[in-house]
Amino acid sequence: MRSWGLRFTLTAVLGAAALACFSSSASAISYAPVDIPGPPLDVSQAQLDANLTCNGTLAGSAKTPVLLVPGTTVNPRVNYSWNWEPALTALGIPWCAVELPGQAMEDIQIAGEYVAGEIRAMHARAGGKIDVVGHSQGGMVPRWALRWWPDTRAMVDDLIGFAPSNHGTIDAEALCIPDCAPAIWQQRDNSDFVKALNSGQETFHGVSYSAIYTHTDEVVFPNLNSSGSSSLHGGDGDVANVALQDVCPLDVSEHLLIGTVDPVAYALAIDAMTHPGPADPSRISAAVCSQLAMPGVNPLTLATDFTSLTVAIGSTLATFPHVPAEPKLACYVTATCPAGSSSPVKAQKPARTKKHRKCRKRARHRKRCNKKR
């Protein structure tokens, strides 16, 4: 079994905060039905084009193209350039990666628009269905697109999430006292966003859902069994909730490793991509339990690549502006948009930090402050 101190030394502290502050509202809300047309996207086509990077030829591909969606605090390069991107390329699978606004720390409702737009774009280019693969928030936010833009459901074959925050997490609610980044507010287990995400039904007909999680997840918590945060239940979708430990009982990969390095997670995802329906752990060979890392990871640069990931997470958490409350739900969520308009609310501008406000008072520091914002 693989063992290296890297698993817990750099991730235990930084990882625990990566997805951690989530939000709050106890009032009952009447949500829009699951089958009404979605609102027009507030994100321009130019923005969608600029935030999508692709590799390989999507049109006419014999293999289903994959959309990669990164997790909170990082961009696709940090999350996937040293693992999933080279792995998919080696398999001859065309892929695209979407960069979410503000390192996926801004309003997830807006991130959901990006995912919905990129699903449509890739489907049009491929001329058929695509698969969507995401880590953490990246495994959850595609469900926002499927919930509120019903046309995207027919465009997706598999949705594969590694430790997806499908029901938020309870492990770091205190980190949003008194404030935190918008996307972290929204990923609290009791946030308005999470309640809206899971309203109506959690899955939809025609989509295969593979929620791949680990019992040792210290960020999306609890995930001790199939009733935990990541798992999905109900609806018309074909669902598999699979723990790494269902395949390899001694696997200790935690939140960051499951979506970047773990070979069991990789094997389950590829199984879902290459078979009808979601991942099936009975098809995974026990030989995977002895592997150090998934294909695509360079053993010689693994330590530095993983360190770069944790440093990027820490830097984003330390510098991203906080807001005092969860962003308001878009009007389309409750079908209360003004007559003649179905546009969502604009993304809430992050509040300036105390340090930033102090710095702005000094004219000679303005240029430097603007760079740090």
Side-chain angles (χ1 to χ4, degrees), residues 21-24 169 173 184-191 194:
C21 293
F22 312 147
S23 157
S24 60
T169 173
E173 291 187 12
I184 299 182
W185 273 115
Q186 291 168 311
Q187 287 176 95
R188 282 182 29 172
D189 66 303
N190 60 351
S191 71
V194 165

Side-chain angles (χ1 to χ4, degrees), residues 194-270:
V194 165
K195 294 171 186 174
L197 171 69
N198 295 301
S199 65
Q201 60 190 73
E202 294 189 10
T203 67
F204 295 98
H205 176 73
V207 181
S208 297
Y209 297 80
S210 298
I212 302 170
Y213 65 97
T214 175
H215 295 321
T216 53
D217 197 323
E218 80 286 23
V219 175
V220 177
F221 184 86
N223 258 321
L224 303 178
N225 52 46
S226 62
S227 65
S229 173
S230 292
S231 296
L232 295 169
H233 303 279
D236 303 324
D238 196 355
V239 179
N241 300 309
V242 186
L244 300 181
Q245 292 78 15
D246 293 340
V247 179
C248 300
L250 299 181
D251 194 315
V252 294
S253 289
E254 43 59 82
H255 186 75
L256 296 185
L257 289 168
I258 190 174
T260 57
V261 174
D262 190 86
V264 183
Y266 169 85
L268 288 165
I270 296 300

Side-chain angles (χ1 to χ4, degrees), residues 3-348:
S3 61
W4 15 289
L6 185 60
R7 290 188 180 276
F8 292 114
T9 54
L10 289 172
T11 61
V13 174
L14 294 177
L19 272 176
C21 293
F22 312 147
S23 157
S24 60
S25 171
S27 58
I29 296 176
S30 178
Y31 301 103
V34 299
D35 55 354
I36 64 172
L41 299 181
D42 201 40
V43 180
S44 71
Q45 189 60 50
Q47 289 173 302
L48 292 173
D49 293 343
N51 283 45
L52 190 68
T53 302
C54 296
N55 181 81
T57 303
L58 276 65
S61 173
K63 298 183 178 181
T64 304
V66 172
L67 173 63
L68 295 169
V69 188
T72 312
T73 72
V74 295
N75 58 39
R77 180 187 61 78
V78 172
N79 211 150
Y80 298 123
S81 67
W82 53 285
N83 42 59
W84 273 97
E85 290 179 4
L88 292 174
T89 299
L91 292 173
I93 298 176
W95 55 265
C96 295
V98 56
E99 182 167 355
L100 303 179
Q103 311 293 323
M105 290 280 273
E106 296 182 8
D107 187 346
I108 303 177
Q109 296 174 104
I110 303 302
E113 291 195 39
Y114 277 86
V115 175
E118 308 303 15
I119 288 174
R120 290 170 174 168
M122 286 187 65
H123 177 265
R125 289 171 60 178
K129 289 191 174 186
I130 68 169
D131 293 334
V132 182
V133 174
H135 181 200
S136 195
Q137 181 193 145
M140 170 272 285
V141 67
R143 293 186 54 237
W144 188 264
L146 296 175
R147 170 63 174 91
W148 305 108
W149 288 274
D151 64 297
T152 61
R153 299 169 196 165
M155 302 176 185
V156 175
D157 185 14
D158 281 279
L159 172 55
I160 301 165
F162 304 120
S165 51
N166 285 323
H167 296 93
T169 173
I170 65 174
D171 99 346
E173 291 187 12
L175 293 182
C176 282
I177 300 173
D179 51 29
C180 60
I184 299 182
W185 273 115
Q186 291 168 311
Q187 287 176 95
R188 282 182 29 172
D189 66 303
N190 60 351
S191 71
D192 289 341
F193 175 87
V194 165
K195 294 171 186 174
L197 171 69
N198 295 301
S199 65
Q201 60 190 73
E202 294 189 10
T203 67
F204 295 98
H205 176 73
V207 181
S208 297
Y209 297 80
S210 298
I212 302 170
Y213 65 97
T214 175
H215 295 321
T216 53
D217 197 323
E218 80 286 23
V219 175
V220 177
F221 184 86
N223 258 321
L224 303 178
N225 52 46
S226 62
S227 65
S229 173
S230 292
S231 296
L232 295 169
H233 303 279
D236 303 324
D238 196 355
V239 179
N241 300 309
V242 186
L244 300 181
Q245 292 78 15
D246 293 340
V247 179
C248 300
L250 299 181
D251 194 315
V252 294
S253 289
E254 43 59 82
H255 186 75
L256 296 185
L257 289 168
I258 190 174
T260 57
V261 174
D262 190 86
V264 183
Y266 169 85
L268 288 165
I270 296 300
D271 178 80
M273 292 180 202
T274 55
H275 292 85
D280 183 349
S282 70
R283 292 192 291 251
I284 307 302
S285 169
V288 73
C289 301
S290 63
Q291 296 175 9
L292 173 66
M294 63 171 277
V297 172
N298 184 345
L300 298 179
T301 61
L302 171 56
T304 55
D305 290 335
F306 192 77
T307 298
S308 296
L309 170 67
T310 58
V311 168
I313 291 171
S315 175
T316 302
L317 288 171
T319 60
F320 197 87
H322 290 188
V323 294
E326 177 184 353
K328 293 181 179 179
L329 290 176
C331 59
Y332 61 77
V333 171
T334 53
T336 55
C337 293
S341 171
S342 57
S343 298
V345 293
K346 298 285 186 179
Q348 183 173 342

